[in-house]
């Protein structure tokens, strides 16, 4: 973050703001749900959840509305015999994997994904992955990570998946920029063009679109997080010598400029050149955003915890659309990765981490915000109570990063308000 | 371990949730890890309910496992009682909580709450969703139903309607259709449960003369217990389809001691005439594969063959409990039933049977897409589009109308089918294109069968002239014919010999 950008921020921001921490029911997804978008991103990967019928049911309830000719995820459902030790769980897993790979010879990368039941009975999936690698090499690489609810919340599943890819990256000491976090293909392509125009490169993305295109890593690698939920991935990248470029996240005109600037500064791009490259995009973003200001400015907004995107989104909505955050709930607050965001966030909102859904609902009902960002378990019930809601999962499934998506991002929040005004039923 | 690409049923605690969410004034405290609240979406999104399910989850995390998860359960249960003030509570564990063995029943008892608290033992690694719903409903009925009282003589016959739950396939409209049918017969509805009932309503179940069981999957055990403890007989016929509805009316009339003749004479369904009208002629002998829960699969097999004139080439269910009935029904059509909860096994059966229409669940829609076969949904599991806004029962006279429209829709319409058989090179109405009344939506990938036999180019071309929806069957028949006669290369003659041999 440059000094210039910080000068526009309110003096304190929320860097020192207290964070409300409660204990109670958490109405969030587990990390397995990351598979829903990761399987589309890495096109030759397959995700095999090792878990119970509940895990399988979660996956198909979330994804099953799409009709698949060949889905790229499945569940190895543990049965009574596996728990009673009557069958060797490892032999069973080997059998299931062989059955799966015989059906899908096009798979190059197989993730064994841990779940609550497999973690509780301490089934060692990392050993299983090693063993299966020996059997199925060189055609298929087998990795593992945990997407269990006891360890991961929603988008943390992507963090765990990418962290599993880091040790697979070949050593490459040459200077390069790595953009970390699954992004829509259109967003990736735009970013690639912007970095090229700035003379920054070579640029690589994690995760790649195909397993074979995994980028290299080494002391020359600088990385930008494109998503705020990548704590473990960032830690491992740093362990391999890469260095994180601190920046706010590329949401909105301001966020995107600051994010690009972090890379530009690391590559010593002259300020004039930077302005020249980013000015048009930034202006385009501001124009697109402005169309939604009339509907959103002055509106009060509350976020229920879901994806860790809540703080960057609140920053964007507050600073670029003049919305007023009332409460910003996040499942997990990574102070270091969000330092630049917190500094930009206007004071006045309640920050809460984790939390208790019933008491947060009480606060929400008392505050009566104009817009509530929440999961699908709460959205319709809150609508029925007369609240306008924006279901939060969509923010993970929609291209929202970068200049040319800034207007779309604002539109996601404007649409439910627009709809409420249009409907006369 | 079982490799599951799709699963036909959820875990048993989802069944318990379906009962709790169907009812009013009942709360469910579920010991479960963070993330299991995804189940709320089934009710708020798929069924589009405007209220949160009456379920409190403990949502424990890894860091709680080192501490006192039992204490976590107790505080969740007492908080839920304070906040929601239910008439009764059910308590239980999800699959992960079952592994840590905290005994929710015992813990809840220790709290001494001033309401009935019913513990649920739902073995997650053995049993599934429907079993969980049936067990929960049975435990509730057994735990709450008052001792039998004498039924006053001389009043109108009265019944309970048992089985409809939250997240049931068309339960909302089936219930409306059957309730109104029973009322037209002059029968009083005592209690409908679980859907819409309170724990207080369940105490009054014994006051009815008999029970109408709409869904044996969820109400079977409760109805059997009521028959033993309260001497209430229960209906056996499921009123799906015109003939079954008529039998159901006769059965109910016998239990109620009334004459079924007036209502049987007065009411019918348009589906009977639609099916007799000449436009439906081309439906005769269409090869249909039926799969679903046992109730809907058996009913659909009967409607398909008796009321639409289809040929049954496959029948199956994921419900092992009703395997015998399904096997008997299949045998009557000279086929073997597919009893499996393994999606891949069902897919293999469908591929082997080469049907022209699949009547199945949401899962069969995946298979149908892969194989390029028309498909209609007849049973849970289903997704959001099968909780429609419009009135769409499966049961009763209106249900029969709905079935006719729904099942015929995916098939290619008669004229188009004829023209495709005659002219194969049209740029728009191509041989492999989807039926044009469905738009461009359904792609039809012809499944590739293992190339064990060689086809001459001429024979292969001729095979391509057979309409695509029977082409798979023709290829299979020809190859079978060739294999049985040790014909190595299939020529044009072999193709037509096989056609004459099987002469469909």
């Amino acid at each position: 973050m440059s000094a210039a950008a910080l000068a526009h921020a309110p003096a304190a921001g929320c860097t020192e703001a207290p964070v409300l921490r409660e204990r109670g029911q958490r109405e969030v997804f587990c990390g397995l749900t990351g598979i829903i978008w990761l399987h589309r991103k890495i096109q030759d990967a397959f995700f095999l959840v090792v878990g119970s019928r509940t895990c399988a049911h979660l996956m198909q309830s979330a994804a099953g509305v799409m009709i698949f000719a060949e889905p790229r995820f499945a569940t190895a459902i543990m049965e009574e015999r596996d728990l009673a030790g009557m069958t060797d769980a490892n032999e069973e897993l080997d059998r299931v994997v062989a059955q799966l790979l015989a059906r899908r010879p096009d798979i190059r990368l197989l993730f064994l994904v841990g779940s609550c039941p497999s973690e509780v009975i301490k089934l060692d999936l990392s050993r299983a992955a090693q063993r299966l690698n020996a059997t199925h090499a060189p055609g298929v690489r087998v990795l593992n990570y945990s997407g269990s609810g006891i360890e991961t919340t929603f988008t943390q599943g992507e963090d765990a998946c990418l962290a599993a890819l880091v040790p697979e990256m070949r050593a490459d000491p040459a200077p390069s920029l790595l953009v970390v976090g699954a992004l829509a293909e259109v967003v990736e392509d735009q970013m690639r063009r912007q970095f090229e125009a700035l003379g920054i490169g070579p640029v690589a993305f994690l995760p790649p679109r195909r397993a074979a295109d995994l980028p290299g890593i080494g002391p020359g690698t600088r990385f930008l997080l494109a998503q705020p939920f990548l704590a473990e991935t960032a830690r491992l990248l740093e362990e391999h010598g890469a260095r994180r470029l601190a920046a706010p996240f590329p949401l909105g005109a301001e966020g995107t400029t600051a994010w690009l600037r972090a890379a530009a500064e690391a590559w010593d791009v002259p300020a004039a050149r930077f302005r020249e490259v980013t000015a048009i995009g930034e202006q385009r973003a501001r124009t697109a955003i402005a169309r939604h200001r009339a509907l959103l400015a002055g509106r009060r907004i509350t976020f229920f915890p879901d994806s860790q995107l809540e703080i960057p989104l609140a920053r964007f909505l507050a600073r670029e659309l003049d919305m007023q955050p009332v409460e910003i709930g996040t499942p997990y607050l990574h102070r270091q990765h969000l330092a630049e965001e917190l500094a930009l966030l206007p004071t006045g909102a309640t920050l809460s981490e984790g939390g208790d859904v019933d008491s947060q609902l009480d606060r929400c009902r008392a505050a009566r915000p104009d817009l509530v960002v929440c999961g699908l378990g709460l959205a319709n019930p809150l609508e029925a109570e007369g609240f306008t809601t924006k279901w939060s999962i969509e923010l993970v499934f929609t291209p929202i990063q970068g200049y040319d998506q800034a207007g779309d991002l604002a539109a996601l929040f404007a649409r439910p308000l627009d709809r409420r005004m249009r409907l006369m039923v | 371990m079982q490799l599951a690409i799709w699963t036909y049923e959820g875990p048993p605690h989802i069944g318990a949730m379906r009962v709790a969410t169907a009812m009013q004034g009942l709360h469910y405290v579920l010991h479960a890890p963070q993330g299991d609240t995804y189940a709320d979406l089934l009710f708020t999104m798929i069924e589009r309910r405007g209220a949160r399910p009456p379920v409190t989850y403990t949502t424990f995390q890894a860091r709680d496992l080192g501490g006192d998860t039992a204490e976590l359960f107790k505080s969740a249960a007492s908080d839920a009682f304070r906040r929601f003030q239910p008439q009764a509570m059910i308590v239980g564990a999800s699959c992960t909580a079952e592994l840590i063995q905290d005994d929710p029943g015992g813990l809840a008892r220790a709290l001494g709450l001033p309401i009935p608290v019913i513990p649920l033992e739902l073995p997650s690694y053995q049993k599934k969703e429907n079993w969980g719903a049936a067990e929960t409903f049975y435990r509730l009925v057994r735990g709450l139903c008052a001792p039998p009282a004498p039924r006053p003589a001389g009043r109108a016959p009265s019944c309970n309607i048992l089985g409809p739950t939250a997240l049931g396939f068309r339960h909302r409209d089936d219930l409306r259709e059957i309730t109104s049918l029973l009322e037209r017969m002059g029968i009083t509805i005592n209690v409908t449960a679980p859907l819409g009932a309170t724990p207080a309503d369940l105490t009054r179940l014994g006051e009815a003369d008999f029970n109408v069981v709409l869904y044996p999957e969820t109400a079977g055990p409760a109805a059997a217990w009521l028959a033993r403890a309260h001497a209430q007989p229960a209906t056996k016929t499921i009123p799906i389809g015109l003939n079954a509805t008529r039998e159901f009316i006769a059965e109910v009339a016998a239990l109620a001691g009334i004459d079924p003749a007036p209502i049987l004479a007065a009411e019918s369904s348009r589906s009977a005439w639609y099916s007799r009208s000449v436009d439906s002629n081309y439906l005769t002998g269409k090869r249909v594969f039926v799969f679903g829960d046992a109730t809907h699969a058996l009913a659909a097999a009967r409607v398909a063959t008796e009321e639409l004139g289809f040929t049954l080439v496959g029948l199956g269910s994921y419900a092992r409990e009703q395997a015998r009935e399904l096997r008997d029904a299949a045998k009557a059509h000279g086929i073997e039933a597919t009893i499996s909860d393994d999606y891949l096994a069902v897919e293999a059966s469908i591929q082997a049977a080469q049907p022209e229409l699949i009547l199945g669940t949401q899962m069969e829609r995946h298979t149908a897409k892969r194989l390029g076969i028309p498909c209609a949904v007849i049973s849970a599991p289903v997704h959001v589009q099968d909780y429609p806004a419009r009135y769409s029962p499966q049961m009763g006279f209106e249900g029969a109308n709905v079935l006719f429209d729904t099942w015929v829709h995916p098939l290619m319409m008669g004229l188009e089918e004829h023209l495709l058989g005659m002219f194969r090179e049209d740029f728009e109405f191509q041989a492999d294109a989807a039926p044009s009344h469905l738009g461009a939506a359904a792609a039809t990938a012809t499944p590739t069968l293992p190339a064990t036999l060689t086809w001459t180019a001429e024979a292969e071309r001729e095979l391509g002239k057979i309409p695509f929806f029977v082409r798979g069957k023709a290829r299979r028949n020809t190859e079978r014919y060739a294999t049985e006669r040790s014909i190595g290369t299939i020529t044009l003659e072999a193709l037509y010999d096989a056609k004459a041999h099987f002469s469909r």
Side-chain angles (χ1 to χ4, degrees), chain B residues 170-181 184 388-399 402:
Chain B
R170 308 294 167 85
H171 287 195
R172 177 196 70 190
D173 296 341
D174 283 349
L175 184 57
R176 183 173 138 198
E177 185 70 16
I178 296 305
T179 302
S180 112
L181 178 65
R184 291 201 300 281
R390 68 179 183 277
Y391 184 53
S392 28
Q394 304 285 290
M395 291 184 174
F397 294 117
E398 183 58 22
V402 171

Side-chain angles (χ1 to χ4, degrees), chain B residues 131-216:
Chain B
W131 188 90
E135 171 72 8
T136 303
F137 187 47
Y138 162 70
R139 290 284 158 200
L140 278 166
V141 168
R142 219 192 138 137
L144 296 172
C145 189
R151 289 167 202 138
R155 55 160 200 185
S158 135
C159 72
N160 301 311
I161 301 180
L162 304 182
T165 63
L167 214 67
F169 177 62
R170 308 294 167 85
H171 287 195
R172 177 196 70 190
D173 296 341
D174 283 349
L175 184 57
R176 183 173 138 198
E177 185 70 16
I178 296 305
T179 302
S180 112
L181 178 65
L182 292 168
E183 282 168 356
R184 291 201 300 281
M185 291 174 73
I187 294 165
T188 307
I189 313 295
N190 179 50
V191 171
T192 298
L195 194 59
T198 62
D201 290 334
L202 296 189
T203 64
R204 299 189 294 106
L205 280 170
E207 292 168 19
D209 299 318
F210 64 98
N211 289 314
V212 169
V213 176
L214 293 187
Y215 309 102

Side-chain angles (χ1 to χ4, degrees), chain A residues 26-27 60 64 75 80 92, chain B residues 1 4 7 34 40 126 362:
Chain A
R26 296 167 63 109
E27 182 89 13
Q60 79 179 35
T75 310
E80 185 91 301
E92 279 292 288
Chain B
M1 272 180 211
T7 161
Q34 166 176 277
D40 284 357
Q126 289 172 22
Q362 173 77 5

